[in-house]
Every structure is written in structure tokens, then in C-alpha cells.
Amino acid sequence: MGVDLERIIQYIKQGDQKSVQTQLDRYNTENSQCFFFNVEAREKRKFRRNKVREYIPDSDSDLGSDDDEDSDLVLRRRLASALMWFIRTQLQPGVLRVCLRTLRILSRDRLALAPFITDSAILTLARLGGISTMPIPGHEEEDWMEEKDPWGFACGSTSSQSGSKAFSTDTHNQMREVIIETRRRSYRDDGIYSSLVRGKRDARGERDEEGDEWYDDGEVWRKEAMKALCNVIYNSQRAQERAGPLKLLPGLCDKLKASIRSAAPPSGQFYDLRLLFLLTALRLELRKELQQARGVSLLTVLLEQCLEVQWAEDYEVVSDPSAPPIIRDASQRAIEILKILFNITYSTHRQEPDEEDAALYRHLAAVLRHCLLLSCEDEDLVEELQGHTVNLLSALPLQCLDVLLSVRLFNGSKESGGVNMDCVHSLLMFMDKRLNRGQKLKEKLTPVLNFLTESCRAHRETRRYLKQQILPPLREVELRPEQGDTIRNKLVRLMTHVDTDLKHCAAELLFVLCKENVGRFVKYTGYGNAAGLLAARGLLSGRGPSSKPQYSSDSDSDTEEYRQARDKINLVTGRVEEQQPDPMEGMTEEEKEREAMRLMSLFSRLSRDKIIQPMGMLSNGRLAPLCGHQRFSCMEEEEEEEEGEVDFEDELD
């Protein structure tokens, strides 16, 4: 039997903290893994509304309202409203913890968010979550004053004068004092906030709830308050709009700055960072506000602190291959920081930074280089960390990324022309992993493909190293370019992918590695695979544009195997084809002419039916539709064409 929510509401009204804690513990246990409420019931109602009815309802009441149809939803709203009042009163720490955990579960339901999205509710959760520089909910809030009798909604018809009296002016002032006092208790003895335990959409938050019991109660309920606030911001557009006026962003920044100044290691910033990510992802004005408040500098320092970065020189981080892997908690915080940084810098690659910004971005790029070379306790987190690092690198101005290659060479370093290629090699291995993924290829591959392409254009040694790794001298001339498991084979397969953006990115990288030389590009990919990019660039004729970028000269020596088979390679397929018998062998000239006429008739029919469109090449190398009289100049009479079609169909029969 499920927990009676009506009874819990009555216990809250009576102030019976022990009974409230007992009942909410049961409710939380039952619903800890519930992220969608009454989905099956709502689907049934949707079916009933949409099906064809054989009668017209006599009144609107016959149709039924949402409240009538989903009494559980009404109860959850009433419970949330009662709890939002309850947590503002003087509660024992254990009771406050279980109440906030219930609110966190209820905040997952988008239909039950009404009690959460008032200014007073948002401010209360923020202050309980450790954001101290916030206005205290008081009489000045319009939405609070409009709720003349919250118990009328929370407790329905059972509301009495004593229930309404609970929200008298004196009690309201007492709750404001309680919030202030609660915030004071949230400090540890050393004056530092107890931090939040990390999690990701409750994925691991639920897993360690049993272990929360040994934590300081203040730390636990601060974590629950931040989880609930993250849910509210994510699920409610109204809450997102109110985040700016309520100064959530400055409050979060102040809290993060305090953690930087703290001598003790941060025991949990994950939910602070998660909330900051949601605010910057969902609200453009908050994105700009954080950027103007020197958010890039703040987050860079947080990232350094998270990864325990040590500097060898201005733009070179000390790298220790024997260092232990980054713990899971630090990896998750670093990922959140990278996501926030991307939100506020994604457009900077189009801008020309001034001297101060350029120094800041170079400093950040040096830290990102360190991120690419790190190892984590969880292998999945390594790829996720590298993925967000690549996203952020692609958002920074390209001229500020020279620090990725300015690191000294060490024993075991990858190098090209005396330049350290460890970072480039890490990017190459990351791309290879993503190439092996079968899902979300565009989302996972496009950033790294574009970034490597631009890096090859900008840095000669990067292009040389990647060409050695991706396009080594050809040896297996019997296989098509798309056959095999090398990186070149995988990229060539992408050149015919159904997603236009993805196949263009893959082709562009290979084209740049070939120094935008059409002959060399066809040699490594085959004309059939290369035709799409060549047509888009107007290079089908093989003559490149005069504005082609200037690339450095490097060797492209052919192997002995390639030189021997060069004349036998089919340029369309890119491999040596087996000798095929001549299909016209033994045919007379008249039979050959008739066969040609039949083929022309087929092409004419396909063209008239709009199945194909004959194209011709212009002088600039681009394709253009052929005019009607040019398409089939040899077909002078429509009657002859129709006769050819009939004869051909007879032969097929």
C-alpha cells in the first residue's frame, strides 16, 4: 500500500515532525527512482480525448478536468506547497533533510511545479543550498503576498483558522529569522560552507544516499536543496526567467569564489556548477552577464584547482605520466566547468581578441591541453572529458591555440619536425574512438573533425603529422579506399554518409591533408567518393581555384606496390579492378548502334519522369543542368524514341 499523502499534509499542518519524517522516508524510498509520474494514466486520458465519440457531452463537466482525472497530481502539488512552507519553520536537521529530499523528487514532475516557481520558493531553496548572497523572502514579494492562505491550497477543505494563522505576519517574520539562522548553521567551524556531493541527474545521487547518513546533516540537506533547485530551473521556463532578477548568478559566483579562497579542498561543487551550467545554457542574458563578470577567468581557476594543475612555464603545465588517474568526483566537476566555459565562449572564435583576452585564452588553452592528456578512474569519463575539451578548443580563437604545440619535447613524446605532437596524437586517438561509435556520429565527430581541419590549415607541423598517421603511402591497391579498419578507411566511408554536414567535414579533413590537391585527393579516396566535395568546390574538372591556400612542400613518395599498379587503378573506385569481358564483343556495328539508341531512350525516359537530371560541366568546374536540345541531340524524332522503348520492353518480356 502506498504512502497516504493526505495524512502527511495533515501531519505537516499539526507540526508533528516525527510523523512527517517517518512518512516521508517511506515515500522517498518508494519514489527514489521515479522520474515520470502517472505516465500510463495520462496516456489513457489522451487516448480517451482523441478517440471518436458517438455523442456530444451535455456539459463541460462530462469532459472532466485534469484535476478530476489525476487526483495524485493534485496531492503532489498540495504536498509540495505544504513542504515549501514547512522547511521555512524551525525543523530538526534530519526532518529538514527528508523534506528537501521529497521536494527534490516532486520537482521532477513538470505538472506539479506550481509551488516551486514562486520567488519565495526559489530564494528559499537557493539559500538552503548555500547561496548566501540572496535577498531574503519577505513582504516585498508580490507572489508571496498573493498567497493569502497557502493552506487553503495545500490542505483543501481541512484548512482551519489555526492553519491560516500559521501564515500570520508574526509567523512569517519568524520564518525569515529561521532562514537566516539556518544559513548560519550551514557554516562549518572553520567558516567554510559544507560542500555538496556530486551527482548527475540523480544518477549517482540515489546510489550514495545510504552513505549520506554519516555526513553532516547540513551538508546533506544543502545537497538536496541544490538538486531540487536544478530540477526547478531545468523544468520551468518561469523559474529560468526569474533567475536573473533574483540574482542567482551573482550568488553562485560568490559561492564559487569563496571555495577558491578556502584552504580546505572543495568537498563538493558539482551541483553549484550544474546549476550554473543550466542558467548559462538556458538564458542568453545570463551567459553574457557571466562573461562580463570575468567568468572565463573564474572558471579557469576552478578548473586548475579541480585538476591540481602545476605550472612549469607561463603556458606549459607540468605533465607527469606516472601520476594517478583523476578521481571520479574531480572528473565530473571538470566536465561541468568545461560545459559552462563553452556556453560563454562559443562565439569568441569569430572575434579578434585584444591583448588581455588573448593571454587569458592562451592560459586556458594550456590547461585544456593538460585535460587531453589526463587519465581518469572511469574510462567513459576520459572520453567525455576529452569531448568537452575539444568542444571548448573549437570555440576559442585559433591564433590563441599555438600553446598546444609550444611544449618542450620529453622522452616518449610524439614529434614532427621537432615540435611536440602529444596533444595532436591525443586528438587523433580520440577521433578514432568516436569513429568506432555507431550512434550520434554527427554530434560526436563534427567538432573534432572541424578542429583538426582548421588546425591543419593553421599549423604546418600538425598537418604533416596527421598526414603521416592518416594518409601513409599507399600499399594495398587491391582494396577500395573505404574498405578496412584504418583511420583513412573510416573517414572515406563517412564521405558517403547520409548526413551532409558529417560527410563534408570528413572529406574536408582529407582534402586539407592532401594540401587541397585534386589529384592526390582522388588517389587516396577514389573519384566516386571525392565527387561530392569536388562538385561543391567546382573542382570536378581537376583544376583548382587560384586562391588555394599556400601549403609547405613535403614528400609524397609512392610505394613500389603503388607504382607498379598505378596504370591499372580504376580512378572511380580507387583500386585495381579485375579484367572484365567486353560487353560489345561479337556485336556488329548495327547492333552497337541499336544498343546505344536504347540506352539513350532509357535516359530520356528517366529524365522526362524527373527521376534523373542530366548535368553538364561549366568552364568553372561546377555542374549545371543541360538544356533540352543538348541532352539528346541524336534523338531527332519522338516516334523513333517510342519505337525504341517498345522494342526494348518486348525484349525484356
Side-chain angles (χ1 to χ4, degrees):
M1 182 177 178
V3 180
D4 188 347
L5 300 187
E6 188 69 55
R7 179 177 297 178
I8 297 176
I9 294 172
Q10 293 304 315
Y11 287 145
I12 293 173
K13 178 184 175 184
Q14 297 164 11
D16 188 348
Q17 295 190 29
K18 183 177 180 180
S19 297
V20 170
Q21 184 175 8
T22 302
Q23 293 296 315
L24 289 183
D25 269 330
R26 285 184 54 202
Y27 181 83
N28 295 342
T29 301
E30 291 179 5
N31 295 277
S32 62
Q33 299 299 322
C34 180
F35 292 90
F36 303 96
F37 295 87
N38 293 347
V39 174
E40 182 178 354
R42 287 201 297 270
E43 289 298 321
K44 288 181 179 178
R45 292 198 307 275
K46 182 179 179 182
F47 173 77
R48 288 202 303 270
R49 291 193 189 104
N50 293 338
K51 70 179 182 179
V52 178
R53 301 190 177 209
E54 296 181 354
Y55 70 98
I56 299 176
D58 295 332
S59 66
D60 293 339
S61 61
D62 291 339
L63 292 172
S65 65
D66 287 342
D67 290 344
D68 293 336
E69 293 173 340
D70 194 350
S71 58
D72 288 340
L73 172 60
V74 177
L75 277 176
R76 288 196 300 275
R77 286 175 178 166
R78 291 171 57 198
L79 178 60
S81 181
L83 287 173
M84 287 305 303
W85 173 85
F86 201 44
I87 63 175
R88 298 186 187 107
T89 62
Q90 293 184 347
L91 300 178
Q92 297 175 4
V95 179
L96 180 58
R97 170 179 53 82
V98 76
C99 288
L100 287 169
R101 185 164 292 171
T102 304
L103 285 171
R104 186 246 298 175
I105 292 173
L106 294 173
S107 65
R108 299 168 182 169
D109 187 359
R110 296 191 177 194
L111 300 179
L113 285 180
F116 292 94
I117 59 177
T118 64
D119 287 1
S120 58
I122 295 172
L123 290 171
T124 299
L125 290 175
R127 296 188 65 83
L128 290 176
I131 305 176
S132 58
T133 55
M134 302 283 295
I136 297 177
H139 295 291
E140 67 275 11
E141 298 183 54
E142 295 181 2
D143 62 332
W144 183 278
M145 295 302 294
E146 289 174 359
E147 297 176 7
K148 296 180 180 178
D149 184 10
W151 286 99
F153 174 72
C155 298
S157 59
T158 59
S159 177
S160 63
Q161 287 186 346
S162 61
S164 298
K165 188 178 179 180
F167 258 73
S168 66
T169 303
D170 293 338
T171 305
H172 187 108
N173 291 331
Q174 289 175 7
M175 285 190 293
R176 297 183 64 199
E177 296 173 1
V178 169
I179 292 175
I180 299 174
E181 181 62 28
T182 305
R183 285 298 310 124
R184 289 173 181 164
R185 292 201 306 266
S186 69
Y187 282 95
R188 298 204 304 257
D189 294 337
D190 55 3
I192 307 165
Y193 293 126
S194 298
S195 301
L196 308 177
V197 177
R198 289 144 305 282
K200 189 172 182 181
R201 285 200 66 193
D202 291 340
R204 60 170 303 208
E206 302 292 350
R207 184 182 63 189
D208 59 14
E209 279 183 357
E210 294 181 1
D212 283 345
E213 302 303 329
W214 64 269
Y215 279 110
D216 169 34
D217 269 319
E219 181 176 341
V220 175
W221 52 250
R222 278 192 295 278
K223 176 185 70 173
E224 295 297 337
M226 289 301 292
K227 283 185 178 182
L229 187 56
C230 287
N231 287 346
V232 172
I233 295 295
Y234 178 74
N235 287 321
S236 170
Q237 184 176 353
R238 198 266 177 185
Q240 297 163 19
E241 294 170 351
R242 295 301 301 160
L246 294 178
K247 306 299 182 184
L248 277 182
L249 186 64
L252 273 173
C253 290
D254 289 343
K255 186 179 180 183
L256 292 172
K257 290 175 183 176
S259 69
I260 294 174
R261 294 189 295 266
S262 170
S267 58
Q269 295 173 333
F270 180 84
Y271 284 102
D272 299 334
L273 296 168
R274 172 55 61 87
L275 181 57
L276 190 56
F277 164 71
L278 290 173
L279 292 175
T280 54
L282 297 170
R283 302 300 299 179
L284 176 61
E285 69 276 11
L286 296 182
R287 220 174 295 161
K288 295 178 179 178
E289 181 181 343
L290 181 58
Q291 191 175 28
Q292 294 170 358
R294 301 184 63 82
V296 174
S297 178
L298 169 64
L299 292 165
T300 302
V301 174
L302 282 170
L303 186 59
E304 293 179 48
Q305 184 186 65
C306 179
L307 302 177
E308 300 180 358
V309 169
Q310 297 180 0
W311 294 94
E313 295 183 0
D314 287 344
Y315 298 123
E316 181 177 346
V317 176
V318 175
S319 181
D320 184 7
S322 61
I326 302 299
I327 62 174
R328 181 180 180 85
D329 295 343
S331 303
Q332 290 178 326
R333 280 186 285 131
I335 288 170
E336 292 300 312
I337 294 171
L338 293 173
K339 288 157 60 178
I340 302 167
L341 279 167
F342 177 80
N343 285 346
I344 62 176
T345 62
Y346 73 96
S347 61
T348 56
H349 70 282
R350 306 191 190 106
Q351 303 170 0
E352 188 70 26
D354 57 28
E355 185 176 350
E356 182 181 356
D357 287 340
L360 177 61
Y361 293 143
R362 281 192 169 89
H363 184 85
L364 175 57
V367 180
L368 296 180
R369 181 186 184 278
H370 183 62
C371 292
L372 289 173
L373 303 177
L374 287 175
S375 60
C376 303
E377 288 182 346
D378 193 329
E379 190 62 29
D380 290 338
L381 284 177
V382 174
E383 185 175 343
E384 188 175 0
L385 179 65
Q386 291 179 339
H388 290 295
T389 301
V390 171
N391 291 343
L392 182 52
L393 282 171
S394 64
L396 299 180
L398 195 61
Q399 61 267 37
C400 298
L401 302 183
D402 53 346
V403 298
L404 299 178
L405 306 178
S406 61
V407 181
R408 293 168 294 176
L409 287 170
F410 300 95
N411 291 334
S413 294
K414 306 291 182 181
E415 65 93 18
S416 175
V419 179
N420 191 311
M421 287 287 130
D422 287 341
C423 176
V424 177
H425 184 76
S426 179
L427 288 168
L428 181 64
M429 294 299 99
F430 169 74
M431 182 184 71
D432 191 24
K433 286 181 184 178
R434 290 287 173 95
L435 284 169
N436 294 326
R437 298 287 188 264
Q439 297 178 341
K440 298 182 178 180
L441 284 178
K442 180 179 180 179
E443 175 185 333
K444 293 180 178 295
L445 274 173
T446 303
V448 66
L449 289 172
N450 285 333
F451 180 69
L452 288 178
T453 301
E454 293 304 317
S455 298
C456 288
R457 284 198 175 104
H459 302 112
R460 175 181 59 187
E461 298 304 331
T462 299
R463 184 189 60 78
R464 284 183 173 179
Y465 181 78
L466 288 177
K467 182 179 182 299
Q468 293 171 4
Q469 302 298 316
I470 299 176
L471 300 178
L474 289 175
R475 295 185 183 278
E476 297 181 353
V477 293
E478 292 82 10
L479 296 177
R480 290 175 178 264
E482 64 269 23
Q483 292 178 328
D485 295 322
T486 66
I487 298 179
R488 174 179 76 103
N489 302 143
K490 298 171 186 177
L491 289 174
V492 173
R493 283 199 290 270
L494 285 182
M495 291 171 64
T496 54
H497 196 273
V498 293
D499 188 280
T500 305
D501 293 335
L502 181 58
K503 71 179 182 181
H504 175 76
C505 290
E508 192 74 17
L509 174 58
L510 292 174
F511 193 52
V512 171
L513 291 179
C514 295
K515 298 193 292 188
E516 303 192 21
N517 181 284
V518 175
R520 188 177 299 179
F521 184 51
V522 171
K523 167 186 170 182
Y524 282 103
T525 65
Y527 193 83
N529 294 315
L533 181 134
L534 297 179
R537 282 174 163 256
L539 299 174
L540 283 174
S541 63
R543 295 187 297 273
S546 58
S547 60
K548 182 174 68 175
Q550 296 298 317
Y551 291 97
S552 61
S553 60
D554 53 51
S555 60
D556 187 41
S557 57
D558 295 329
T559 62
E560 185 65 26
E561 295 90 338
Y562 181 80
R563 282 197 296 268
Q564 291 178 357
R566 179 185 299 169
D567 297 335
K568 303 177 184 177
I569 293 177
N570 185 324
L571 293 180
V572 175
T573 61
R575 71 167 182 178
V576 176
E577 301 283 357
E578 296 181 358
Q579 288 287 351
Q580 299 292 331
D582 185 0
M584 292 192 175
E585 185 177 357
M587 295 176 64
T588 65
E589 292 299 323
E590 292 181 356
E591 290 173 333
K592 292 179 181 179
E593 184 178 353
R594 181 175 175 81
E595 184 68 21
M597 295 290 289
R598 182 170 58 176
L599 290 175
M600 294 298 291
S601 175
L602 284 174
F603 279 113
S604 176
R605 182 176 180 181
L606 292 172
S607 177
R608 289 199 311 271
D609 293 342
K610 307 295 185 182
I611 298 174
I612 65 171
Q613 183 179 27
M615 307 287 286
M617 189 181 301
L618 302 178
S619 58
N620 60 3
R622 296 186 180 275
L623 294 177
L626 287 175
C627 297
H629 68 278
Q630 292 177 326
R631 292 178 186 173
F632 310 106
S633 58
C634 61
M635 305 297 297
E636 298 180 353
E637 296 292 340
E638 185 70 22
E639 295 180 359
E640 295 180 7
E641 179 184 314
E642 293 176 356
E643 290 177 2
E645 292 178 5
V646 172
D647 292 343
F648 177 57
E649 292 173 358
D650 292 341
E651 290 181 11
L652 291 178
D653 294 338

